[in-house]
């Protein structure tokens, strides 16, 4: 099919759409549209009736971004990030992800017992969700609930203070089971194959009141995943660290408790993270205090034993002066020794593989600021790594990058410890040289006095170190006691609106669907109509003039193929009179040959040709109908003529042997109507109608008849008709409603374009007047009351038999 033909069929040939007729056609189906609207709106009402409302509960919290003690570590990480060595996510974004993490939500579900949901049945509507105010509480351990193959249903009926009946529906090995048990009093234990249930009566329940309750136990992992999908955490603006937490729930108090507990657990875990350094420091200090305490006790015992054994009570003045100068350096040596021991302990702690992934004890008395700062930086990065591991895997890019930074910082710490230890050793050597000068001055002092000083000096060193560690332990205890929540609640949880179901939107959608589905179905049915239904379809396909419309008649089977009679004014007589008049207007003076053809067989061309010929005969016009459908002749059957009698084919084959007028036989319809049958079936029909004898035959008929009607073969099937059309004055192209395909009928456009047939017009046959659109559209008016007649079945005309 050509593009132009396709456009003519499916795009109305570029003609403007008749919106009035289109709307009228849709309105003819108003009962279907109204029924669909009622069904859609009724379905929306039922859905709203049985759908519980879902509310949006929201709150806002302030995420603290850290304090000044962390600025150096964060600054160093930021600098390393600028160099491309570390990819560290924004701290605020990390906290937001932690708030939405599955592990945190799972802890909330376990703490509040949200994996057990209660509901009270309501007739003619949705079940009412209950939370805390329930007559009987059902409990199952989270571990047992996690092993449930599917949700466990518990139906509890009874009277407070009397008997209670519990019915459990569960699934085991793919099969559904029911287990019931009656309890005279609560609390009680209900043992099932899938877990143990604990039933506890609520003390607030009124004695003697009956109740009906349904509890659903679901795996906590499933409930946590559901809450995670319903929870959202979004910043309130681009320039603040305030997060809006929103959760959707059918029970408002339950949603509020969920948000409050979520923030509480989040703050508790954040405080535990912050106290990790202080706890490790306290452990380190306690270990050192125990060691120093033992060493101090030993030194004091040695001093007492030496004094008692040597009988020393006072020191000489010269030795006192010499020792005074030496004691200053000895004090420095003592301080140096303390620092060396602290640094050595710290180095051994770092070298211990067991402490590889732990924070480094800080604030233990080291006087080197550089070492203290790098230790603090390392601790901050270790804390950050542990927090990232809660929401990320160890193989994630952020954790790997942070591990590289931690490894680099640990190397720096070890290097710094080694440098500080070497520096202290050098200082100790210098102090030893200076102390040696004073020892030379007091070399003559009594040996007992020198030993006494040595013992006293060791005692002082141990005592100073012991007091310092006690002080640090108290400072660390204060740090542990001080807690500052990481998130501060700005707005407490409250209902922010109804999320679902939205009645207005649902009714709007139902209205649109109720209207759109039938209209779309009607439109689709119109698009799927591949056969011509009436004049509108014909006018969409072609611009060829339509000369008439032939309705169906119910009395044709009784009358025969000739459905019109003389001196009668029924519907068919009027229809063919109208057709006859239209054709007379199209014929010019001297033109009298009318050709009838169609696209394919069964469209009623022989029926319309014979009845039109009879109509001409009834107006006293001498008319002859010629059977030029020589492949499948039908005129002999219509007029009861013996098929063995000679006809037009014999004349065309041997015009000199036959008298054409003698072959024209009068009909029993009217004395003015003659029939020239087809005759014997020729072996070469196409070559036969192409002979000049056809022009000779039509010329003879023109001289002796007022009108010559040619019944030809379907033009869409054979080429005979195009050859016959050369001697015709007017061509009537017949199509039949509900039979002729639109794609096949588009052949008429090619015929008109190629100018194979001149003076072309269209006749629509077999219009079903029972269809309201045809009864109103085609304008038969008073004829519409005759309804459907159904002609031609018996004689096989117009029905494709």
């Amino acid at each position: 099919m050509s593009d132009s033909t396709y456009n003519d069929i499916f795009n109305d040939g570029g003609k403007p759409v008749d919106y009035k007729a289109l709307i009228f056609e849709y309105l003819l189906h108003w009962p279907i549209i109204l029924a669909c609207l009622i069904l859609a709106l009724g379905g929306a009402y039922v859905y709203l009736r049985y759908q519980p409302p879902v509310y949006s509960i929201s709150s806002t919290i302030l995420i603290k971004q850290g304090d000044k003690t962390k600025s150096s570590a964060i600054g160093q990480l930021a600098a390393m990030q600028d160099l491309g060595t570390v990819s560290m996510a924004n701290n605020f974004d990390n906290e937001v992800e932690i708030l939405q993490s599955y592990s945190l939500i799972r802890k909330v579900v376990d703490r509040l017992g949200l994996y057990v949901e209660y509901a009270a049945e309501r007739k003619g509507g949705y079940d009412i969700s209950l939370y805390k105010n329930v007559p009987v509480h059902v409990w199952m351990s989270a571990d047992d609930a996690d092993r449930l193959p599917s949700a466990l249903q518990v139906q509890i009926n009874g009277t407070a203070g009397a008997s209670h009946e519990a019915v459990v529906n569960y699934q085991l090995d793919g099969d559904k089971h029911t287990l019931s048990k009656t309890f005279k009093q609560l609390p009680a234990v209900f043992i099932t194959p899938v877990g143990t249930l604990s039933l506890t009566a609520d003390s607030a329940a009124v004695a003697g009141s009956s109740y009906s309750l349904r509890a659903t136990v679901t795996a906590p992992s499933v409930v946590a995943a559901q809450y995670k999908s319903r929870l959202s955490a979004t910043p309130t603006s681009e320039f603040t660290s305030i997060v809006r937490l929103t959760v959707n729930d059918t029970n408002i108090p339950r949603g509020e408790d969920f948000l409050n507990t979520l923030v509480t657990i989040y703050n508790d875990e954040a405080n535990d993270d912050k106290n990790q350094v202080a706890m490790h420091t306290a452990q380190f200090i306690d270990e050192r205090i125990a060691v120093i305490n033992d060493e101090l006790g030993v030194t004091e015992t040695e001093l007492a034993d030496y004094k008692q054994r040597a009988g020393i009570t006072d020191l000489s003045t010269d030795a006192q002066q010499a020792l005074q100068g030496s004691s200053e350096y000895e004090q420095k040596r003592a301080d140096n020794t303390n620092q060396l021991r602290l640094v050595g302990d710290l180095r051994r702690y770092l070298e211990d593989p067991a402490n590889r992934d732990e924070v480094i004890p800080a604030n233990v008395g080291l006087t080197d600021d550089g070492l203290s700062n790098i230790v603090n930086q390392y601790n901050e990065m270790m804390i950050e790594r542990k927090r990232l591991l809660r929401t990320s895997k160890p193989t994630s890019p952020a954790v790997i990058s942070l591990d590289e930074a931690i490894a680099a910082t640990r190397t720096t710490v070890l290097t710094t410890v080694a440098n500080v230890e070497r520096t202290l050793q050098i200082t100790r050597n210098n102090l030893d040289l200076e102390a040696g000068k004073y020892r030379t001055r007091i070399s003559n002092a009594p040996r007992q006095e020198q030993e006494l000083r040595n013992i006293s000096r060791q005692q002082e060193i141990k005592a100073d170190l012991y007091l310092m560690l006690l002080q640090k332990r108290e400072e660390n205890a204060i740090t542990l006691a001080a807690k500052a929540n990481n998130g501060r609640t700005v707005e407490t949880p409250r209902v922010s609106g109804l999320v679902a179901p939205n009645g207005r939107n649902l009714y709007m959608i139902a209205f649109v669907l109720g209207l759109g589905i039938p209209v779309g179905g009607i439109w689709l049915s119109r698009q799927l109509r591949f056969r011509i239904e009436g004049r509108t379809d014909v006018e969409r396909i072609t611009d060829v003039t339509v000369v008439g419309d032939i309705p169906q008649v119910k009395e044709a089977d009784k009358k025969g193929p000739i459905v019109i009679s003389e001196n009668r004014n029924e519907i068919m007589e009027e229809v063919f009179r109208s057709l006859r008049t239209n054709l007379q207007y199209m014929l010019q003076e001297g033109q009298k040959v009318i050709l009838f053809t169609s696209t394919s067989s069964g469209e009623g061309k022989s029926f319309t040709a014979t009845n039109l010929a009879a109509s001409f005969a009834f107006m006293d016009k001498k008319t002859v109908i010629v059977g030029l459908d020589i492949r499948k002749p039908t005129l002999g059957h219509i007029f009861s003529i013996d098929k063995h009698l000679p006809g037009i084919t014999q004349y065309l084959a041997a015009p000199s042997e036959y008298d054409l007028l003698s072959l024209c036989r009068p009909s029993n319809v009217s004395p003015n109507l003659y029939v020239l049958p087809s005759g014997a079936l020729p072996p070469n029909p196409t070559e036969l109608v192409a002979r000049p004898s056809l022009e000779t035959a039509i010329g003879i008929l023109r001289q002796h008849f007022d009108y010559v009607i040619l019944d030809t073969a379907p033009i869409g099937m054979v080429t005979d008709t195009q050859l016959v059309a050369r001697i015709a004055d007017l061509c009537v192209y017949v199509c039949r409603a509900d039979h002729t395909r639109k794609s096949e009928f588009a052949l008429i456009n090619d015929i008109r374009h190629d100018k194979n047939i001149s003076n072309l017009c269209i006749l629509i046959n077999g219009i079903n007047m029972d269809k309201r659109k045809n009864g109103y559209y085609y304008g038969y008016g008073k004829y519409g009351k005759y309804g459907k007649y159904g002609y031609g079945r018996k004689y096989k005309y117009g029905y494709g038999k």
Side-chain angles (χ1 to χ4, degrees):
M1 185 185 298
S2 62
D3 293 340
S4 61
T5 304
Y6 182 88
N7 293 332
D8 289 340
I9 295 174
F10 297 101
N11 297 331
D12 298 341
K15 299 178 182 179
V17 179
D18 188 354
Y19 291 101
K20 184 177 180 180
L22 185 63
I23 294 174
F24 177 75
E25 181 178 352
Y26 281 100
L27 288 179
L28 291 177
H29 302 84
W30 69 267
I32 298 176
I33 297 175
L34 181 60
C36 290
L37 276 175
I38 294 175
L39 287 176
L41 295 175
Y45 172 78
V46 173
Y47 177 80
L48 291 174
R49 181 74 176 174
Y50 288 91
Q51 188 70 15
V54 179
Y55 301 95
S56 175
I57 302 100
S58 62
S59 67
T60 55
I61 63 171
L62 173 65
I63 302 296
K64 298 178 182 179
Q65 293 297 303
D67 48 26
K68 295 181 180 180
T69 59
K70 300 180 181 180
S71 60
S72 60
I74 295 177
Q76 182 181 5
L77 289 176
M80 297 176 70
Q81 183 181 7
D82 293 337
L83 293 174
T85 58
V86 179
S87 176
M88 184 181 66
N90 184 280
N91 183 60
F92 175 73
D93 295 336
N94 292 337
E95 300 301 323
V96 172
E97 289 299 323
I98 291 174
L99 279 170
Q100 301 178 90
S101 64
Y102 171 84
S103 59
L104 192 65
I105 296 175
R106 172 62 189 268
K107 293 178 181 178
V108 177
V109 171
D110 291 345
R111 180 176 295 186
L112 295 179
L114 298 180
Y115 54 90
V116 181
E117 186 175 358
Y118 303 92
E121 295 183 355
R122 174 180 142 189
K123 295 182 179 179
Y126 57 84
D127 295 342
I128 301 176
S129 176
L130 304 177
Y131 178 45
K132 292 183 177 179
N133 188 20
V134 292
V136 176
H137 292 277
V138 178
W139 181 86
M140 175 183 280
S141 66
D143 294 337
D144 289 344
D146 253 337
R147 290 191 292 268
L148 289 175
S150 63
L152 186 145
Q153 301 283 343
V154 183
Q155 182 68 38
I156 306 173
N157 302 313
T159 303
S163 62
H164 310 270
E165 181 184 8
V167 180
V168 177
N169 296 313
Y170 62 94
Q171 188 172 357
L172 186 63
D173 297 332
D175 298 329
K176 295 183 178 180
H177 302 273
T178 300
L179 188 64
S180 62
K181 191 173 183 180
T182 302
F183 304 96
K184 294 184 178 180
Q185 61 181 4
L186 297 179
V189 176
F190 195 166
I191 300 176
T192 68
V194 293
T196 302
L197 297 172
S198 175
L199 308 179
T200 306
D202 192 346
S203 59
V206 180
S209 62
S210 60
Y211 64 88
S212 178
L213 177 69
R214 186 181 72 250
T216 304
V217 183
T218 311
S221 57
V222 176
V223 177
Q226 293 174 353
Y227 271 96
K228 179 175 173 59
S229 64
R230 303 203 303 262
L231 175 68
S232 66
T234 56
T236 56
S237 68
E238 184 179 357
F239 305 102
T240 63
S241 59
I242 297 178
V243 180
R244 182 175 300 280
L245 298 175
T246 304
V247 67
N248 298 331
D249 205 330
T250 56
N251 192 287
I252 297 175
R254 183 171 59 195
E256 293 174 347
D257 286 352
F258 174 81
L259 293 180
N260 287 327
T261 308
L262 180 70
V263 175
T264 300
I265 295 178
Y266 165 75
N267 284 326
D268 291 343
E269 292 192 351
N271 288 329
D272 292 342
D273 291 339
K274 293 177 183 178
N275 292 333
Q276 284 187 12
V277 175
M279 289 187 294
H280 283 81
T281 302
Q283 181 181 358
F284 179 80
I285 291 176
D286 289 340
E287 293 174 357
R288 294 307 304 158
I289 286 177
V291 173
I292 298 301
N293 186 40
D294 294 339
E295 293 179 354
L296 183 60
V298 172
T299 305
E300 290 178 348
T301 301
E302 290 179 356
L303 179 61
D305 292 343
Y306 182 80
K307 285 185 176 182
Q308 183 178 5
R309 185 174 61 253
I312 299 173
T313 58
D314 194 9
L315 298 174
S316 63
T317 303
D318 292 336
Q320 184 67 31
Q321 292 177 351
L323 291 175
Q324 185 175 359
S326 177
S327 63
E328 294 179 0
Y329 284 95
E330 292 298 333
Q331 183 62 39
K332 293 179 181 180
R333 291 181 63 199
D335 294 338
N336 179 265
T337 302
N338 291 337
Q339 292 297 316
L340 277 173
R341 295 186 66 178
L342 289 174
V343 171
D345 292 338
L346 184 60
R347 175 173 51 77
R348 286 187 293 275
Y349 180 87
L350 289 172
E351 292 173 352
D352 189 356
N355 302 323
R356 181 73 180 179
D357 295 328
E358 301 294 338
V359 294
I360 301 173
N363 197 18
V364 294
L366 293 174
T367 58
D368 191 277
D369 294 335
L371 180 58
S372 299
N373 291 335
I374 196 65
V375 168
N376 290 333
Q377 294 173 12
Y378 179 86
N379 290 338
E380 290 295 334
M381 285 187 285
M382 288 298 297
I383 294 173
E384 183 66 20
R385 180 180 182 276
K386 291 183 178 181
R387 301 199 66 179
L388 284 177
L389 288 177
R390 294 182 181 177
T391 57
S392 305
K393 296 181 178 180
T395 58
S396 65
V399 176
I400 293 174
S401 299
L402 190 58
D403 288 339
E404 293 175 358
I406 290 173
T409 306
R410 185 179 183 87
T411 302
T412 304
V413 172
L414 291 172
T415 303
T416 305
V417 168
N419 292 337
V420 171
E421 192 172 14
R422 284 195 298 270
T423 302
L424 292 174
Q425 190 63 44
I426 293 172
T427 303
R428 179 179 180 83
N429 293 334
N430 294 333
L431 291 175
D432 289 342
L433 292 175
E434 294 297 328
K437 299 177 181 179
Y438 287 97
R439 283 195 298 270
T440 303
R441 294 177 55 187
I442 60 173
S443 57
N444 296 325
R447 190 166 186 84
Q448 297 86 352
E449 190 171 351
Q450 184 178 3
E451 291 180 0
L452 180 62
R453 285 296 179 183
N454 290 333
I455 296 173
S456 299
R457 189 181 308 115
Q458 293 297 325
Q459 181 190 16
E460 292 176 359
I461 293 173
K462 304 294 184 182
D464 291 343
L465 184 58
Y466 183 78
L467 292 175
M468 182 193 68
L469 291 174
L470 289 177
Q471 181 181 359
K472 294 300 180 182
R473 185 172 66 177
E474 292 300 321
E475 293 176 356
N476 193 69
I478 294 173
T479 302
L480 280 172
K483 288 186 178 180
N485 290 335
N486 200 46
R488 181 172 66 87
T489 302
V490 178
E491 293 182 2
T492 57
R494 60 185 179 88
V495 179
S496 57
L498 182 67
V499 176
N502 191 321
R504 178 181 298 177
N505 291 345
L506 189 61
Y507 278 119
M508 183 63 68
I509 294 173
F511 179 81
V512 172
L513 291 177
L515 188 63
I517 290 176
V519 171
I522 296 171
W523 175 86
L524 183 61
S525 67
R526 291 179 72 251
Q527 299 302 314
L528 295 178
R529 294 173 187 168
F530 299 109
R531 302 182 186 273
I532 292 175
E533 296 184 355
R535 183 187 291 262
T536 303
D537 294 333
V538 172
E539 291 176 346
R540 288 175 180 171
I541 296 174
T542 182
D543 291 331
V544 178
T545 303
V546 178
V547 293
D549 312 298
I550 309 298
Q552 291 181 358
V553 292
K554 65 180 180 180
E555 298 175 351
D557 291 340
K558 298 178 181 180
K559 290 184 177 182
I562 307 298
V563 296
I564 64 173
S565 301
E566 190 175 11
N567 299 324
R568 195 175 67 170
N569 295 321
E570 297 296 334
I571 179 173
M572 295 308 292
E573 283 77 13
E574 294 296 335
V575 167
F576 278 98
R577 286 169 188 162
S578 175
L579 172 62
R580 180 185 67 194
T581 302
N582 292 336
L583 293 178
Q584 285 177 325
Y585 276 117
M586 295 187 68
L587 290 171
Q588 302 296 325
E589 185 177 357
Q591 294 181 344
K592 56 179 67 176
V593 180
I594 304 174
L595 181 147
F596 277 79
T597 186
S598 63
T599 306
S600 59
S601 62
E603 295 181 287
K605 58 180 179 54
S606 299
F607 166 81
T608 55
T610 54
N611 281 275
L612 178 65
S615 181
F616 277 119
F618 291 154
M619 62 179 295
D620 295 330
K621 297 293 182 180
K622 192 176 181 181
T623 307
V624 62
I625 181 168
V626 183
L628 283 175
D629 187 359
I630 57 180
R631 295 175 183 266
K632 187 179 179 181
T634 56
L635 291 182
H637 179 71
I638 294 175
F639 293 99
S640 301
I641 299 174
D642 189 357
K643 64 180 180 178
H644 298 292
L645 294 176
I648 186 66
T649 57
Q650 281 81 0
Y651 178 82
L652 294 178
S656 60
E657 298 179 5
Y658 292 92
D659 180 14
L660 182 64
L661 294 179
S662 64
L663 298 177
C664 298
R665 294 172 176 79
S667 69
N668 56 2
V669 177
S670 172
N672 294 320
L673 179 61
Y674 292 83
V675 180
L676 180 54
S678 300
L681 297 179
N684 54 346
T686 303
E687 291 76 7
L688 193 63
V689 297
R691 293 181 179 183
S693 56
L694 179 62
E695 286 92 338
T696 304
I698 299 302
I700 296 172
L701 296 177
R702 285 178 184 269
Q703 295 175 4
H704 294 85
F705 292 94
D706 295 322
Y707 290 98
V708 180
I709 309 299
L710 306 180
D711 181 23
T712 64
I715 195 172
M717 302 178 66
V718 294
T719 61
D720 300 358
T721 303
Q722 296 188 28
L723 298 174
V724 175
R726 71 184 186 275
I727 47 88
D729 299 320
L730 178 65
C731 179
V732 179
Y733 199 104
V734 180
C735 68
R736 180 178 157 220
D738 298 323
H739 176 82
T740 304
R741 293 178 180 271
K742 295 179 182 180
S743 58
E744 296 175 353
F745 183 72
L747 175 66
I748 194 171
N749 291 322
D750 296 333
I751 295 173
R752 182 187 61 176
H753 181 267
D754 297 338
K755 298 181 180 180
N756 296 331
I757 298 178
S758 60
N759 206 6
L760 190 64
C761 63
I762 297 173
L763 176 62
I764 305 174
N765 180 34
I767 296 176
N768 187 356
M769 296 302 296
D770 192 39
K771 294 182 178 179
R772 286 178 294 176
K773 64 178 182 179
N774 292 332
Y776 286 103
Y777 183 80
Y778 287 96
Y780 282 103
K782 63 181 180 179
Y783 306 122
K785 65 182 180 180
Y786 289 98
K788 182 171 76 172
Y789 294 96
Y791 65 86
R793 294 186 181 89
K794 180 177 180 181
Y795 296 96
K796 304 180 182 178
Y797 296 106
Y799 288 89
K801 295 185 180 178

